[in-house]
Amino acid sequence: MNEYRILAINPGSTSTKFAVYFNDECKLNRTLRHSIDELSSYKSILKQFDYRKGMIIDALMEEGFDVDSLKYIIGRGGLTYPLESGVYLVNNDMLKHASEGVYGQHASNLGPLIADFIANQIPGAKAFIADPVVTDELDEIARITGHPRFQKRSIFHALNQKATARLHAKKHDVPYERLNLIVAHLGGGISVGAHKQGRVVDVNNGLDGDGPFSPERSGGLPTGQIIDWCFDSRMSKADIRRMVVGEGGYVAYLRTNDAREVEEMASQGNAKAQLIQDAMAYQVAKAIGEMAVVLDGQIDGILLTGGVAYSDYITAYIERKVGFLGRVYVYPGEDELEALAKNALRVARHETQAKAYQPMIDRVDTY
């Protein structure tokens, strides 16, 4: 059997995670932490490029890895233009759009940039991304918002949702493309998607905080009240966005983004923490109900994943609410490095073909 050596890279807001895989076996998994003070010295996310890729290379050297043996370098996909689901070869257009942050600035934009740089230092190596957050498979009817000036954007935890759905399909020995699934990613942000025979035909925008509120995001706020607040508060655009994304949800109500801390507070009799925790689970359950309608009630499974899915209390609450719709399965965690490595391995083993980056600009014009 051929041994394929893979480097997976996942830049996050306060960390850079990377892992080395030899086929399915993880040989190294590291999380490089970045303090707020360290990152604040950089004027933009793009300016962090040298700092972050240098730390990865230094760590690989310290561990004694033969960097030249790594032929598949795969980074988390960032906020480029919308793309179909799949594995993509990094090219100049992708690098340009990730650098510009055409859909917004996020640490994941560094994923293809770092992957490309490292691959270019290794003879015969190639750089990829897989199932980026801008994966767009929405049905046309799902794009309609209620006003022609606005169109729904597909930005969600595509990598983990797709990986969890494929894992579930494999466990049940059924092709993912034959299943109707509802997948709820429960993390710092929350996204709930309707997977219809291999396509995510509807999903809330997990980046902007649309849908259920989460540990860090405000979710769908009352439209009239948010309009009044924007004009009356005299807050800047950046301040209001931070209120909705980053300082909403648990942070706004309880001054923490740690779901474990909130659950502990609730278990100790904190009535406010109990109510807010239940309200988040309640809103997730409602979103699952919406996606049941999208799938016409034909549901092969409801999958709960992400870091918050480690909470037995929250998953049990959601199951009580939605169990009548279909069986609930819990796949806690969000091992995005493993998901990236598996996608690279699928390409290496010719189980799928890497696609050329061809952004769907037609889905952006009316945004």
Side-chain angles (χ1 to χ4, degrees):
M1 178 187 293
N2 291 328
E3 182 178 74
Y4 301 106
R5 300 192 173 195
I6 301 163
L7 172 62
I9 302 165
N10 181 11
S13 56
T14 58
S15 68
T16 301
K17 300 177 182 179
F18 74 93
V20 174
Y21 279 78
F22 291 3
N23 290 348
D24 294 293
E25 186 178 358
C26 182
K27 295 292 188 179
L28 174 66
N29 189 314
R30 290 281 300 273
T31 297
L32 307 173
R33 303 288 180 187
H34 314 305
S35 71
I36 298 299
D37 288 341
E38 287 175 316
L39 296 183
S40 63
S41 64
Y42 299 96
K43 293 183 179 180
S44 69
I45 288 172
L46 189 61
K47 296 290 186 182
Q48 299 171 18
F49 170 76
D50 286 332
Y51 165 67
R52 294 202 191 218
K53 60 93 171 168
M55 289 186 72
I56 293 173
I57 294 171
D58 288 346
L60 287 170
M61 300 292 285
E62 288 171 8
E63 294 289 341
F65 270 96
D66 178 8
V67 177
D68 284 349
S69 71
L70 302 171
K71 301 301 183 184
Y72 295 84
I73 320 298
I74 186 163
R76 185 181 178 192
L79 295 170
T80 59
Y81 287 120
L83 294 169
E84 295 178 342
S85 173
V87 184
Y88 287 84
L89 271 169
V90 176
N91 64 15
N92 288 334
D93 282 343
M94 183 190 296
L95 295 173
K96 179 176 183 291
H97 294 157
S99 299
E100 293 171 350
V102 292
Y103 246 32
Q105 292 294 339
H106 188 271
S108 61
N109 290 8
L110 294 171
L113 302 179
I114 296 174
D116 178 73
F117 177 88
I118 294 177
N120 282 334
Q121 313 308 307
I122 304 171
K126 293 182 179 179
F128 305 88
I129 65 166
D131 290 334
V133 293
V134 291
T135 294
D136 188 338
E137 301 171 322
L138 297 184
D139 282 343
E140 287 307 305
I141 198 169
R143 300 182 191 282
I144 306 301
T145 62
H147 194 288
R149 186 179 294 275
F150 307 102
Q151 184 170 318
K152 186 173 184 176
R153 288 182 174 183
S154 178
I155 303 179
F156 70 109
H157 305 90
L159 181 62
N160 189 48
Q161 282 211 23
K162 287 279 187 177
T164 301
R166 291 189 185 106
L167 172 64
H168 177 81
K170 186 175 181 179
K171 282 191 172 185
H172 290 80
D173 198 27
V174 180
Y176 168 52
E177 291 74 17
R178 285 178 50 191
L179 293 174
N180 286 347
L181 302 168
I182 299 172
V183 184
H185 174 103
L186 313 177
I190 289 175
S191 60
V192 181
H195 295 235
K196 186 175 182 179
Q197 298 176 4
R199 294 173 54 243
V200 183
V201 296
D202 202 348
V203 66
N204 64 292
N205 183 332
L207 176 69
D208 286 347
D210 181 27
F213 77 80
S214 74
E216 297 180 350
R217 292 165 194 173
S218 296
L221 297 171
T223 305
Q225 292 180 48
I226 194 68
I227 291 171
D228 290 342
W229 177 259
C230 288
F231 281 92
D232 296 344
S233 68
R234 296 186 179 180
M235 294 174 65
S236 69
K237 178 180 177 180
D239 287 340
I240 292 173
R241 177 166 289 277
R242 188 164 53 249
M243 179 186 77
V244 173
V245 182
E247 296 180 0
Y250 279 1
V251 174
Y253 284 109
L254 301 167
R255 310 315 303 167
T256 179
N257 65 355
D258 190 332
R260 296 166 299 181
E261 183 179 343
V262 172
E263 187 165 345
E264 179 65 20
M265 292 164 62
S267 70
Q268 293 178 358
N270 185 319
K272 182 179 180 181
Q274 185 70 66
L275 176 62
I276 300 306
Q277 177 180 244
D278 288 356
M280 186 179 76
Y282 172 84
Q283 290 194 8
V284 172
K286 285 206 302 181
I288 290 171
E290 290 181 8
M291 295 306 159
V293 172
V294 172
L295 297 176
D296 300 318
Q298 304 299 308
I299 304 163
D300 296 307
I302 299 167
L303 317 184
L304 307 180
T305 184
V308 179
Y310 280 111
S311 168
D312 292 337
Y313 179 87
I314 288 178
T315 56
Y317 186 106
I318 295 170
E319 185 170 9
R320 284 197 305 272
K321 287 286 187 183
V322 305
F324 72 98
L325 294 171
R327 185 172 174 183
V328 176
Y329 302 85
V330 181
Y331 296 94
E334 45 183 308
D335 194 340
E336 292 173 325
L337 291 173
E338 181 180 6
L340 288 168
K342 285 184 176 180
N343 274 291
L345 191 59
R346 289 169 62 214
V347 171
R349 290 175 171 170
H350 304 290
E351 296 171 0
T352 191
Q353 186 173 354
K355 299 178 180 180
Y357 174 73
Q358 295 178 322
M360 296 181 283
I361 303 295
D362 61 311
R363 298 189 182 179
V364 181
D365 292 343
T366 58
Y367 286 10

